Amino acid sequence: MQKSVRYNEGHALYLAFLARKEGTKRGFLSKKAAEASRWHEKWFALYQNVLFYFEGEQSGRPAGMYLLEGCSCERTPAPPRTGAGPAGARDALDKQYYFTVLFGHEGQKPLELRCEEEQAGKEWMEAIHQASYADILIEREVLMQKYIHLVQIVETEKIAANQLRHQLEDQDTEIERLKSEIVALNKTKERMRPYHSHQEDEDPDIKKIKKVQSFMRGWLCRRKWKTIVQDYICSPHAESMRKRNQIVFTMVEAETEYVHQLYILVNGFLRPLRMAASSKKPPISHDDVSSIFLNSETIMFLHEIFHQGLKARLANWPTLVLADLFDILLPMLNIYQEFVRNHQYSLQVLANCKQNRDFDKLLKQYEANPACEGRMLETFLTYPMFQIPRYIITLHELLAHTPHEHVERKSLEFAKSKLEELSRIMHDEVSDTENIRKNLAIERMIVEGCDILLDTSQTFIRQGSLIQVPSVERGKLSKVRLGSLSLKKEGERQCFLFTKHFLICTRSSGGKLHLLKTGGVLSLIECTLIEEPDASDDDSKGSGHMFGHLDFKIVVEPPDAAPFTVVLLAPSRQEKAAWMSDISQCVDNIRCNGLMTIVFEENSKVTVPHMINKTLNSCKVPQIRYASVERLLERLTDLRFLSIDFLNTFLHTYRIFTTAAVVLAKLSDIYKRPFTSIPVRSLELFFAASPNNRGEHMVDGKSPRLCRKFSSPPPLAVSRTSSPVRARKLSLTSSLNSRIGALDLTTSSSSSSPTSHSPTASPPPHTAAVLDSAPADRAGDSTELSPCRSPSTPRHLRYRQPGGQAADSPHCSVSPASAFAIATAAAGHGSPPGFNNTERTCDKEFIIRRTATNRVLNVLRHWVSKHAQDFELNNELKMNVLNLLEEVLRDPDLLPQERKATANILRALSQDDQDDIHLKLEDIIQMTDCPKAECFETLSAMELAEQITLLDHVVFRSIPYEEFLGQGWMKLDKNERTPYIMKTSQHFNEMSNLVASQIMNYADISSRANAIEKWVAVADICRCLHNYNGVLEITAALNRSAIYRLKKTWAKVSKQTKALMEKLQKTVSSEGRFKNLRETLKNCNPPAVPYLGMYLTDLAFIEEGTPNFTEEGLVNFSKMRMISHIIREIRQFQQTAYRIDQQPKVIQYLLDKALIIDEDTLYELSLKIEPRLPA
């Protein structure tokens, strides 16, 4: 048996010589000897696939050689050091690079090597890997597999050819048999002919002609059929069917994803929490688990069945029929009603359970599961809320591409109508979900917590930064200056307005909010809003000049504490007007509902309308889903309802279904002709209880009936004053709870002289009223003690406790509905000459006129203060409003409070400089014409981030809200319809191009890496400044292909910078419809710059999925409400400006278009810096 292999030694020495001279890799390596612990340093040379090693670099004869073909090379850890030695020697050995060459031959030991440097070791490993021909072997294996596959195909074809050959032979045999039969039949036919005549054979030319004709007929037939098929493929019907198929495939994918989400919700949260609730120390009870997850498990089972049916139908494609699946699914979708109805309560229970540390820790452990992909439990609980609308949108798209004669058309239309009906039933529950999440987010931000935010009827209105001015005794302002840095720093407050409360918080250095110990939570029912100081108040005069008329007061009179005053400063007049308009509207809502509650007591003779009775305890009014334009205009001026949500929605979206001229004409008609313009149903509320039916007179003021309700007429006390200058002040006490009772219209003189007051006055003989005069000292305190005063509710209307001085007074017949009308109309604040006050209060026509005037002024004030852009862009509308207001001022019966409100609206509308405090991009460009701009190296990251934020916010806030309507940014004439949105998009692209161009301008790797690190630092500062648009501008630039492919440059970037960039990208990622960015924006306070594309995507989704009008021609006001909520969120960030000083040199650098390199040049420059690796 041969035990050795002979080889040509001369040839081997020649190869060793070539390896020493032209080897791929040469150098010293340590080779491990047969003994386990000894290493010998050798000089290695690699030539093609042979590795030679020599005793030294000058040795001529190799000591050995290895064939590397088929081997593998891998790194090995350093062997443990057992012997004791110097520390430096051990460290040097540990730093050496060890690797092993494994041979594919049996019985051959691996070759263990080491080198001094890691880079050299990697180069040796790479060279050995190439010499092993591993890639070639893999390619050879792939080619061998292909060869075997081709051989199998050839064999199969041979077998098929043999089978066809046998079939042809069988067919030939069959043809011969048929020929013989034909011959026999022809002979039989010839014998049966009685008169047989032999005819000459047919001409061969005729046969050829017939054969050609037959061939041409077949060719024409095939050509025509091919044309028919090609025409159908290119026809609209075929294109529609292809789109229909794509919609179905997308629906199946979405259903798969939804079932997976429900599976994670049930198996990742519900079932583990059930097991935890059964443990010895349960972190949560079974009732709470059921309240949180509701019937989500049943929903999962239902959709698993539906999903299996869809997959089974896909197997029969293209004869897929879906309508019967929806017919089976529709009756069972009613289970969503329970989930949607209790979804708000589910989130509240979850928020309460998170207060338990054990439960919170356990929940975070479940949320850390990789299957959750970083999503929280609240996210999974929200997914079922959007499933029904998703089905409706899918069916809408499916019907758009389904022919009318299609077999499934009627069934799909029926399914769509049923789903829309179910969606209407669930609409009220769905519309409140976002508001509850907002309230819970604010509640978590407050360190002390806030129980009032857990009230489901508490609706968020607005938030922002205001400055609180410190006050001293008697409610007078301290002498401070608005420009004081200490006032801005110490007095800055984060304010949140809700429908029932006003929160004032301070912000700590860590970003947490703390409620003020005194006056942190203000109940709006106890507040009086003072728009502007009285003219007689010298201190208020001084404060108005001191603060530039940016201040407003909130007088708080709690029932169990001393009254106090909160003075707040707004950053601008526009924001002051917006804050005051919202606060006054919320106060009006509360008083409207409170007075309606009094009127509709159980013993009252007034019948409570069902749709109003549902909303008395929730500070809401009935919501409109669909209505005609005429009905919406009626609702706008309906005297029964004061809804800030409806008013905002209408003024944001009215241009979709009507014009500003029509709206103004309606308001003008209401003011000029209230009796013919106001619907009858709007007036029935005020006079449902007739005063003539109330004949009882209250003699005892301590009667429990008087203290309990308005079922009997309230006492009226009128005082005549001798001073014609100062107006009377009435006070109305409203019982919004059980402890406050009767309505008391009490007059008090404003005269400073005690002698100008008559102690008593005799009533007319035909009335039962006793004229009771108030003392002069009480008259002087009436303004300070008034607990509820707003721009639309006069300060003479005051709430009083039962059992006052009017207890012994008889009364005139004023119905509770009339009292409600007086309160909402701001009546009784003064008396023009020649008109009796008692007759005026009890006169129905006067009440209607004053109520209509007040409502028109309310709408105009809200329109002018919060939608000033309508008048800036439409001068004709502005002039018509000015004419109407001037006409109102000429009304001789106008009350002083109404006259003051009209003058305020006129002043706000006539101010041309109300936006001068806000910078515009054109002004900034003109201001930055400095001779020398800064360069990137001399600018700090803070300067760049601040000026980028300033520019982004200036561009963002310049977008008028009407550009968000109608998807104008997606039309062909988008530059004309939405110029500011397109300017915002252009600015985003230019800033992103500037970042990429600045990085590519550097020729060396280190400079590019430093530029990347600096831009990432700029993005992080933008995040701290809440400029998420700037963060996305920079991260988008860094993710461009021209920069992302620079591997050598990115290798120089530090790990901290890469981790920071990954964090920033996760924040602004578009995954899940920007879920991380949305959550971040909910938890941050303005000023902020969001990414505009996120809102444009939401608006496009609403516009495409829901029509503006129904088939009956009604306005889809539910869609208008969704659009308005998005616009309100955008405008919330637009209104609050940054306090950043402009730096012209930095801005000139940022706006310098000469620094920008186009995309193609960037990529060519990137290829020049780092060429592509050869294939």
Side-chain angles (χ1 to χ4, degrees):
M1 180 179 179
Q2 185 177 358
K3 296 183 179 180
S4 62
V5 178
R6 296 177 63 89
Y7 72 98
N8 191 330
E9 185 176 1
H11 184 62
L13 292 176
Y14 177 71
L15 290 178
F17 172 76
L18 291 178
R20 290 179 55 84
K21 185 178 180 181
E22 303 173 359
T24 307
K25 184 69 177 175
R26 291 165 292 177
F28 283 99
L29 293 174
S30 295
K31 174 178 175 297
K32 190 174 182 181
E35 298 83 6
S37 60
R38 298 188 60 185
W39 294 82
H40 300 286
E41 188 176 29
K42 306 290 184 181
W43 196 82
F44 283 79
L46 176 64
Y47 181 74
Q48 292 184 357
N49 64 337
V50 182
L51 179 64
F52 296 91
Y53 65 92
F54 303 83
E55 293 297 334
E57 186 176 359
Q58 303 301 328
S59 300
R61 188 179 183 86
M65 58 181 288
Y66 294 93
L67 290 177
L68 300 179
E69 183 174 352
C71 70
S72 62
C73 185
E74 60 184 21
R75 184 177 179 180
T76 56
R81 302 298 172 187
T82 56
R90 289 198 302 269
D91 293 340
L93 290 176
D94 291 338
K95 292 181 180 179
Q96 291 181 344
Y97 193 86
Y98 293 83
F99 58 97
T100 304
V101 180
L102 302 174
F103 299 95
H105 314 294
E106 295 183 0
Q108 185 169 359
K109 295 181 180 180
L111 175 62
E112 299 183 26
L113 302 172
R114 74 180 183 190
C115 61
E116 300 297 331
E117 297 180 358
E118 181 179 357
Q119 183 64 27
K122 291 182 178 179
E123 292 176 356
W124 272 106
M125 289 182 62
E126 179 66 23
I128 292 173
H129 176 73
Q130 293 180 1
S132 66
Y133 301 148
D135 297 335
I136 298 177
L137 291 175
I138 293 173
E139 186 177 357
R140 176 182 175 276
E141 185 68 24
V142 172
L143 293 175
M144 184 58 68
Q145 294 293 334
K146 291 182 179 180
Y147 171 74
I148 294 173
H149 180 65
L150 291 175
V151 170
Q152 292 176 352
I153 292 175
V154 170
E155 293 295 331
T156 305
E157 292 295 331
K158 288 181 179 180
I159 295 174
N162 290 329
Q163 293 177 352
L164 289 174
R165 191 178 297 108
H166 291 305
Q167 291 178 4
L168 289 174
E169 293 175 355
D170 295 339
Q171 289 176 0
D172 290 340
T173 305
E174 183 68 17
I175 289 172
E176 293 297 331
R177 185 183 64 80
L178 291 175
K179 285 182 178 180
S180 61
E181 290 182 0
I182 291 172
V183 170
L185 288 174
N186 288 334
K187 291 180 179 179
T188 304
K189 185 177 179 181
E190 290 294 333
R191 285 196 301 268
M192 291 177 63
R193 286 185 179 181
Y195 303 102
H196 177 70
S197 60
H198 295 282
Q199 298 180 355
E200 296 181 356
D201 294 335
E202 192 173 10
D203 192 357
D205 294 335
I206 299 297
K207 290 183 180 180
K208 291 180 181 179
I209 292 173
K210 289 182 177 179
K211 189 174 182 179
V212 171
Q213 289 177 343
S214 175
F215 174 77
M216 290 299 297
R217 282 194 297 269
W219 180 78
L220 289 174
C221 243
R222 289 192 298 271
R223 183 186 177 113
K224 186 176 182 180
W225 177 250
K226 184 178 180 180
T227 304
I228 293 172
V229 172
Q230 288 178 348
D231 291 343
Y232 175 76
I233 291 174
C234 301
S235 66
H237 181 273
E239 180 66 22
S240 178
M241 295 306 294
R242 282 194 293 270
K243 291 182 179 179
R244 185 177 187 273
N245 297 346
Q246 186 61 39
I247 292 170
V248 174
F249 294 147
T250 305
M251 182 187 71
V252 175
E253 293 176 359
E255 190 70 20
T256 304
E257 177 65 20
Y258 180 57
V259 170
H260 179 65
Q261 293 165 353
L262 292 176
Y263 179 83
I264 295 174
L265 175 64
V266 173
N267 292 278
F269 293 97
L270 172 57
R271 291 172 181 172
L273 285 177
R274 280 179 181 171
M275 295 177 63
S278 302
S279 61
K280 293 183 179 180
K281 295 181 180 180
I284 187 174
S285 64
H286 284 283
D287 292 339
D288 288 342
V289 173
S290 300
S291 300
I292 293 172
F293 293 93
L294 303 172
N295 57 348
S296 55
E297 193 169 14
T298 307
I299 294 175
M300 184 191 73
F301 292 149
L302 169 63
H303 284 276
E304 282 181 345
I305 297 172
F306 182 64
H307 182 237
Q308 291 175 359
L310 285 177
K311 290 195 297 184
R313 296 300 171 85
L314 280 181
N316 298 326
W317 192 261
T319 60
L320 175 62
V321 178
L322 296 176
D324 58 338
L325 281 179
F326 278 101
D327 292 340
I328 299 172
L329 180 66
L330 285 175
M332 295 184 286
L333 286 180
N334 291 327
I335 60 177
Y336 274 93
Q337 294 186 22
E338 178 185 351
F339 189 91
V340 173
R341 189 182 303 115
N342 298 290
H343 183 63
Q344 304 170 5
Y345 177 69
S346 168
L347 296 178
Q348 290 182 0
V349 172
L350 179 59
N352 292 333
C353 291
K354 283 188 174 182
Q355 303 299 324
N356 184 352
R357 292 184 178 180
D358 296 335
F359 174 78
D360 189 50
K361 182 179 179 181
L362 184 63
L363 184 60
K364 288 181 179 178
Q365 180 182 347
Y366 293 156
E367 291 174 347
N369 189 341
C372 296
E373 298 177 352
R375 292 171 289 185
M376 302 173 64
L377 176 57
E378 290 89 341
T379 305
F380 287 99
L381 290 174
T382 309
Y383 285 137
M385 303 289 291
F386 304 103
Q387 191 61 19
I388 300 297
R390 186 180 291 115
Y391 283 148
I392 295 175
I393 294 172
T394 301
L395 288 177
H396 181 77
E397 294 176 350
L398 204 60
L399 286 170
H401 299 289
T402 300
H404 288 278
E405 65 276 5
H406 197 277
V407 66
E408 286 191 304
R409 178 80 187 188
K410 293 184 178 179
S411 299
L412 293 177
E413 288 177 345
F414 175 77
K416 178 174 174 287
S417 63
K418 288 296 182 181
L419 286 173
E420 288 177 344
E421 181 180 353
L422 179 62
S423 178
R424 294 190 194 102
I425 297 174
M426 297 159 52
H427 180 269
D428 291 337
E429 289 81 356
V430 174
S431 61
D432 291 338
T433 301
E434 287 298 322
N435 177 69
I436 290 178
R437 295 182 65 187
K438 177 69 175 178
N439 291 1
L440 291 176
I442 297 174
E443 197 271 341
R444 292 194 193 104
M445 293 167 59
I446 300 175
V447 176
E448 300 84 1
C450 192
D451 294 339
I452 65 168
L453 298 182
L454 301 180
D455 182 8
T456 56
S457 64
Q458 194 82 257
T459 304
F460 172 78
I461 303 298
R462 69 180 293 119
Q463 71 181 69
S465 297
L466 298 174
I467 297 177
Q468 183 177 4
V469 181
S471 58
V472 293
E473 295 180 357
R474 299 181 182 178
K476 293 185 179 180
L477 297 177
S478 61
K479 302 301 181 181
V480 294
R481 291 181 176 271
L482 178 60
S484 173
L485 293 177
S486 61
L487 175 60
K488 287 185 177 181
K489 183 177 180 181
E490 299 175 4
E492 186 172 1
R493 304 286 184 261
Q494 289 296 328
C495 301
F496 300 89
L497 176 62
F498 297 87
T499 50
K500 297 181 181 179
H501 290 83
F502 186 76
L503 305 185
I504 304 177
C505 306
T506 59
R507 184 179 294 279
S508 62
S509 58
K512 292 292 185 179
L513 297 178
H514 298 270
L515 285 172
L516 294 181
K517 295 182 179 179
T518 303
V521 180
L522 305 181
S523 178
L524 293 180
I525 192 58
E526 301 170 355
C527 296
T528 303
L529 177 64
I530 302 178
E531 294 191 18
E532 292 188 359
D534 295 336
S536 60
D537 193 346
D538 295 336
D539 186 73
S540 297
K541 278 184 180 179
S543 68
H545 292 293
M546 184 186 305
F547 300 131
H549 298 284
L550 299 177
D551 59 316
F552 59 94
K553 296 181 183 179
I554 300 178
V555 180
V556 186
E557 296 186 76
D560 53 354
F564 59 92
T565 302
V566 178
V567 182
L568 299 171
L569 298 178
S572 64
R573 292 186 178 182
Q574 186 178 5
E575 288 201 38
K576 173 189 173 182
W579 272 104
M580 295 180 58
S581 177
D582 288 339
I583 294 174
S584 62
Q585 196 70 40
C586 290
V587 173
D588 290 343
N589 285 348
I590 296 177
R591 290 178 186 158
C592 171
N593 290 329
L595 290 171
M596 287 167 67
T597 306
I598 298 169
V599 172
F600 297 139
E601 286 286 350
E602 56 182 356
N603 294 332
S604 175
K605 296 180 181 180
V606 181
T607 303
V608 183
H610 176 67
M611 67 175 182
I612 297 178
N613 188 33
K614 295 191 299 181
T615 62
L616 288 180
N617 297 323
S618 63
C619 197
K620 297 180 182 178
V621 294
Q623 286 190 343
I624 293 178
R625 296 193 184 99
Y626 306 98
S628 62
V629 178
E630 293 76 14
R631 180 67 187 94
L632 291 175
L633 292 172
E634 288 180 9
R635 175 66 176 272
L636 181 68
T637 56
D638 198 328
L639 306 182
R640 297 173 295 172
F641 305 120
L642 296 169
S643 170
I644 187 172
D645 183 66
F646 173 82
L647 197 54
N648 279 325
T649 302
F650 184 91
L651 293 177
H652 277 141
T653 61
Y654 70 86
R655 52 181 51 81
I656 295 178
F657 49 85
T658 186
T659 61
V662 174
V663 177
L664 185 59
K666 180 65 176 179
L667 294 176
S668 180
D669 290 342
I670 292 294
Y671 167 72
K672 295 177 182 177
R673 295 179 292 275
F675 303 101
T676 58
S677 301
I678 299 177
V680 177
R681 58 179 174 273
S682 180
L683 301 176
E684 290 176 352
L685 172 64
F686 295 97
F687 305 105
S690 174
N692 298 328
N693 295 332
R694 299 176 180 267
E696 300 180 1
H697 304 294
M698 297 303 299
V699 180
D700 186 6
K702 298 181 180 180
S703 170
R705 184 173 184 175
L706 176 63
C707 300
R708 189 172 62 251
K709 59 183 70 66
F710 270 108
S711 56
S712 61
L716 178 68
V718 181
S719 172
R720 303 179 184 274
T721 176
S722 60
S723 175
V725 179
R726 300 301 299 268
R728 297 185 307 111
K729 294 187 178 181
L730 293 176
S731 60
L732 171 66
T733 302
S734 171
S735 63
L736 295 184
N737 47 45
S738 59
R739 62 181 178 81
I740 300 179
L743 174 67
D744 187 12
L745 301 175
T746 306
T747 63
S748 57
S749 174
S750 301
S751 174
S752 58
S753 173
T755 60
S756 66
H757 223 294
S758 61
T760 58
S762 300
H766 63 276
T767 65
V770 174
L771 302 178
D772 181 23
S773 63
D777 55 344
R778 287 187 56 194
D781 296 335
S782 63
T783 302
E784 184 180 353
L785 296 176
S786 176
C788 48
R789 184 172 68 210
S790 73
S792 58
T793 304
R795 57 184 178 184
H796 61 275
L797 298 177
R798 179 179 170 191
Y799 294 96
R800 294 186 57 194
Q801 297 288 345
Q805 292 185 359
D808 297 332
S809 304
H811 55 275
C812 72
S813 56
V814 179
S815 69
S818 300
F820 166 74
I822 295 172
T824 57
H829 188 67
S831 80
F835 198 89
N836 183 274
N837 289 295
T838 306
E839 295 175 358
R840 179 192 216 170
T841 305
C842 300
D843 184 70
K844 292 184 179 180
E845 295 183 0
F846 171 77
I847 292 172
I848 293 174
R849 285 199 304 272
R850 299 277 60 82
T851 306
T853 302
N854 184 67
R855 187 55 188 268
V856 170
L857 292 177
N858 265 341
V859 175
L860 287 177
R861 181 190 59 194
H862 201 88
W863 197 356
V864 170
S865 63
K866 301 192 69 176
H867 305 270
Q869 294 175 347
D870 291 4
F871 305 96
E872 296 172 4
L873 304 175
N874 190 344
N875 191 53
E876 181 181 357
L877 174 65
K878 181 178 180 179
M879 297 306 300
N880 291 336
V881 174
L882 289 174
N883 294 335
L884 176 61
L885 292 173
E886 291 174 356
E887 184 178 353
V888 172
L889 283 177
R890 293 193 294 268
D891 186 359
D893 291 337
L894 197 66
L895 300 176
Q897 186 73 9
E898 296 170 345
R899 190 176 301 277
K900 182 177 180 180
T902 307
N904 289 339
I905 299 172
L906 268 172
R907 182 167 59 253
L909 193 58
S910 302
Q911 285 176 351
D912 297 330
D913 58 341
Q914 58 183 352
D915 285 333
D916 288 347
I917 62 170
H918 297 293
L919 292 172
K920 297 182 179 179
L921 187 61
E922 293 78 6
D923 301 334
I924 292 178
I925 294 175
Q926 293 178 1
M927 295 168 61
T928 55
D929 291 337
C930 53
K932 182 180 179 181
E934 296 284 348
C935 60
F936 179 71
E937 293 80 2
T938 60
L939 297 175
S940 66
M942 178 63 73
E943 290 174 335
L944 287 170
E946 287 183 346
Q947 299 308 304
I948 287 174
T949 301
L950 179 62
L951 287 175
D952 287 350
H953 190 267
V954 168
V955 175
F956 174 69
R957 75 172 308 277
S958 66
I959 305 175
Y961 64 87
E962 58 264 19
E963 289 194 7
F964 296 112
L965 304 176
Q967 290 183 277
W969 62 91
M970 300 177 67
K971 309 298 182 183
L972 294 177
D973 55 344
K974 55 187 176 183
N975 292 321
E976 291 76 20
R977 299 182 62 174
T978 57
Y980 289 95
I981 290 180
M982 301 313 299
K983 185 182 295 184
T984 305
S985 176
Q986 179 184 357
H987 176 73
F988 181 95
N989 295 332
E990 288 177 352
M991 292 302 301
S992 183
N993 289 338
L994 175 65
V995 175
S997 302
Q998 186 63 57
I999 295 172
M1000 297 301 297
N1001 275 334
Y1002 294 103
D1004 57 312
I1005 295 178
S1006 299
S1007 299
R1008 287 196 301 274
N1010 293 335
I1012 290 175
E1013 293 182 351
K1014 187 172 181 179
W1015 279 118
V1016 172
V1018 171
D1020 190 45
I1021 299 174
C1022 288
R1023 178 189 62 82
C1024 297
L1025 294 173
H1026 298 166
N1027 179 13
Y1028 301 102
N1029 186 73
V1031 175
L1032 197 54
E1033 287 172 349
I1034 297 173
T1035 55
L1038 296 177
N1039 283 322
R1040 288 192 174 189
S1041 57
I1043 297 178
Y1044 186 77
R1045 62 175 298 276
L1046 301 177
K1047 297 183 180 180
K1048 295 180 180 179
T1049 303
W1050 283 103
K1052 292 288 185 180
V1053 177
S1054 63
K1055 294 182 179 179
Q1056 293 81 359
T1057 301
K1058 292 179 180 177
L1060 179 58
M1061 183 179 172
E1062 185 178 353
K1063 176 183 176 183
L1064 295 174
Q1065 287 178 333
K1066 186 176 181 182
T1067 301
V1068 296
S1069 171
S1070 61
E1071 180 185 358
R1073 295 177 60 246
F1074 296 94
K1075 61 177 181 180
N1076 294 333
L1077 181 56
R1078 293 178 194 275
E1079 193 67 27
T1080 304
L1081 288 172
K1082 286 181 181 178
N1083 296 328
C1084 81
N1085 295 320
V1089 186
Y1091 174 53
L1092 183 63
M1094 176 181 67
Y1095 296 113
L1096 297 182
T1097 304
D1098 294 342
L1099 291 171
F1101 182 79
I1102 294 173
E1103 291 282 1
E1104 292 177 358
T1106 314
N1108 291 332
F1109 299 91
T1110 63
E1111 296 178 355
E1112 295 80 11
L1114 301 178
V1115 178
N1116 186 354
F1117 205 69
S1118 297
K1119 174 184 178 180
M1120 305 300 136
R1121 190 176 293 109
M1122 290 187 290
I1123 293 174
S1124 175
H1125 288 172
I1126 295 176
I1127 295 177
R1128 283 178 59 189
E1129 185 173 351
I1130 294 174
R1131 297 192 68 194
Q1132 172 188 343
F1133 294 117
Q1134 285 181 326
Q1135 290 173 353
T1136 307
Y1138 281 92
R1139 298 174 184 174
I1140 296 176
D1141 296 331
Q1142 180 186 351
Q1143 299 184 25
K1145 291 186 178 181
V1146 183
I1147 291 181
Q1148 185 178 6
Y1149 163 75
L1150 294 174
L1151 297 180
D1152 190 359
K1153 296 184 179 180
L1155 300 176
I1156 298 177
I1157 305 174
D1158 63 276
E1159 186 69 25
D1160 295 336
T1161 309
L1162 275 178
Y1163 197 77
E1164 292 175 0
L1165 189 58
S1166 175
L1167 292 176
K1168 183 178 179 181
I1169 292 173
E1170 290 189 21
R1172 289 193 183 100
L1173 294 176

